[in-house]
């Protein structure tokens, strides 16, 4: 569409060169969408381009008004604006061309400034990231160096420990060889000692065999009293036994199991008096003289010599025929004394051989007990003592604890306090 300008007063209407010419606009579309991906078109569409190369003269222009940029934007966004056709304005032909050139120059300059600012921001960000990465790398390198130093230190400690372990292993092997050597020497000394002891000890018994002998003696006494229990209780003179229990032991309970218990105690008390509590072995005729000599040695600080003296006398008493003959005579005498006591308690006494057997066992046991390096003695538990399971066992129908009322069988213990035979007690 063409518009004809009307001359006005005060204008250059009379100049033929200044007559407004019709402006021809090419078909316009939104070039901002197309120029975004085309090289050389980073500026506005009005900046102008020729074959993708921006005009240097136009790019160097500056200082234009924002009016033309707003006008161009209005034409771009207005769908009803004319896309082509001459527009004749009085005195405006050359001015429009110049302004368009300056708009192009201004648009290109602004586009380059924005790009430079964004580039500077990106560069600073990259520089910050590089700086942060370098700091992180330096920190990691420092930690790595510390770990290497720690590893070197631990490796050195490990080598030192390994060397120490090797030395300790060698020392242990040497000690094992030394221990084996000493054990062999101890075995040889023990064997020699036992051989020497056998030459002065009456028997080869030790604590184990002596404990068995104590149990055998207690079983023999119990077997002897069994003849008055059960259906054979009619053979026992109950009134005589009750009188014995009340008079000698001051015990009021006279039930059948109590009478049998006191019969055991009556027999053991006789053996303690005649065999175990004597000054020395009953087969040695000079038993009284031995007692005086042994006491003198103890009083004059010859305890070790007194032990050897006792063991030598036991050895001679066991080997000498005269001592064995004297022991047999004493056994017969003691058995006869026990029989006399028991005959008064039974209607029909038939236990002579049993009494002699248990008296013989008691005499042999006493010799074995005295021949030990740590002499074994028979100790009666006092009345009203607290029950001790390590030294005592309860009698038939006795409480397992409390106070001791009756000591039926004594406790056999050596001079070191080792219990060889436990006492049988009745607790009430």
């Amino acid at each position: 569409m063409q518009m004809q300008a009307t001359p006005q007063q005060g204008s250059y209407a009379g100049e033929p060169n200044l007559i407004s010419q019709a402006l021809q606009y090419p078909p316009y579309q939104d070039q901002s969408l197309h120029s975004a991906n085309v090289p050389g078109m980073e500026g506005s569409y009005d900046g102008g381009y020729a074959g993708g190369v921006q005009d240097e003269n136009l790019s160097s222009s500056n200082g234009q008004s924002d009016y033309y940029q707003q006008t161009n934007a209005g034409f771009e966004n207005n769908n009803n604006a004319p896309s082509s056709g001459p527009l004749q304005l009085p005195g405006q032909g050359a001015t429009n061309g110049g302004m368009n050139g300056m708009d192009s120059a201004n648009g290109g300059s602004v586009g380059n400034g924005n790009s430079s600012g964004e580039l500077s921001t990106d560069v600073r960000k990259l520089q910050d990231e590089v700086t942060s990465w370098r700091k992180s790398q330096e920190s990691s390198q420092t930690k790595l160096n510390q770990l290497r130093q720690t590893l070197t230190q631990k490796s050195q400690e490990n080598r030192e420990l390994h060397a120490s372990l090797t030395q300790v292993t060698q020392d242990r092997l040497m000690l094992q060889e030394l221990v084996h050597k000493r054990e062999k020497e101890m075995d040889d000394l023990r064997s020699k000692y036992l051989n020497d002891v056998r030459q002065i000890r009456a028997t080869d018994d030790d604590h184990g065999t002596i404990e068995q002998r104590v149990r055998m003696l207690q079983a023999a006494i119990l077997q002897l009293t069994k003849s008055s229990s059960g259906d054979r209780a009619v053979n026992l003179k109950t009134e005589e036994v009750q009188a014995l229990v009340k008079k000698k032991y001051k015990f009021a309970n006279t039930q059948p199991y109590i009478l049998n218990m006191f019969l055991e105690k009556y027999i053991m008390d006789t053996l303690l008096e005649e065999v175990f509590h004597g000054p020395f072995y009953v087969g040695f005729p000079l038993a009284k003289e031995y007692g005086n000599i042994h006491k003198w040695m103890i009083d004059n600080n010859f305890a070790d010599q007194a032990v050897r003296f006792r063991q030598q006398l036991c050895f001679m008493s066991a080997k000498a025929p005269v001592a064995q003959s004297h022991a047999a005579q004493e056994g017969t005498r003691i058995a006869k004394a026990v029989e006399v006591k028991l005959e008064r308690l039974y209607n029909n006494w038939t236990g002579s051989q049993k009494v002699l057997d248990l008296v013989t066992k008691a005499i042999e046991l006493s010799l074995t007990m005295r021949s030990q390096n740590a002499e074994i003695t028979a100790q009666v538990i006092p009345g009203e003592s607290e029950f001790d399971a390590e030294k005592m066992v309860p009698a038939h129908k006795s409480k397992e604890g409390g106070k001791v009322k009756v000591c039926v069988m004594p406790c056999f213990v050596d001079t070191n306090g080792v219990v060889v035979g436990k006492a049988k007690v009745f607790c009430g």
Side-chain angles (χ1 to χ4, degrees), residues 315-326:
F315 175 80
M316 291 184 289
S317 298
K319 303 301 180 182
V322 63
Q324 293 296 315
S325 177
H326 184 73

Side-chain angles (χ1 to χ4, degrees), residues 193-205:
Y193 171 76
L194 292 177
N195 290 331
D196 294 340
V197 168
R198 288 191 185 98
Q199 296 178 4
I200 63 173
R201 196 162 62 182
T203 63
D204 293 335
D205 294 285

Side-chain angles (χ1 to χ4, degrees), residues 234-246:
V234 293
N235 192 32
L236 182 66
K237 295 180 179 179
T238 305
E239 295 180 357
E240 294 290 339
V241 177
Q242 290 177 350
L244 174 67
V245 169
K246 291 179 181 180

Side-chain angles (χ1 to χ4, degrees), residues 19 303 338:
I19 296 174
V338 173

Side-chain angles (χ1 to χ4, degrees), residues 345-413:
L345 303 177
Y346 288 90
N347 294 318
N348 184 18
W349 173 250
T350 59
S352 299
Q353 188 59 42
K354 293 181 180 179
V355 171
L356 182 60
D357 290 342
L358 68 89
V359 170
T360 302
K361 290 178 181 179
I363 293 174
E364 293 176 353
L365 177 61
S366 68
L367 180 62
T368 301
M369 290 165 53
R370 293 183 184 276
S371 66
Q372 299 298 308
N373 188 54
E375 184 179 6
I376 299 173
T377 57
Q379 299 178 359
V380 178
I381 305 299
E384 300 301 323
S385 299
E386 291 291 338
F387 180 82
D388 186 358
E390 294 183 356
K391 295 182 179 181
M392 311 172 195
V393 292
H396 180 58
K397 293 187 179 182
S398 171
K399 295 181 180 179
E400 295 185 2
K403 301 290 185 179
V404 175
K405 299 301 181 181
V406 180
C407 179
V408 183
M409 299 287 179
C411 177
F412 293 86
V413 59

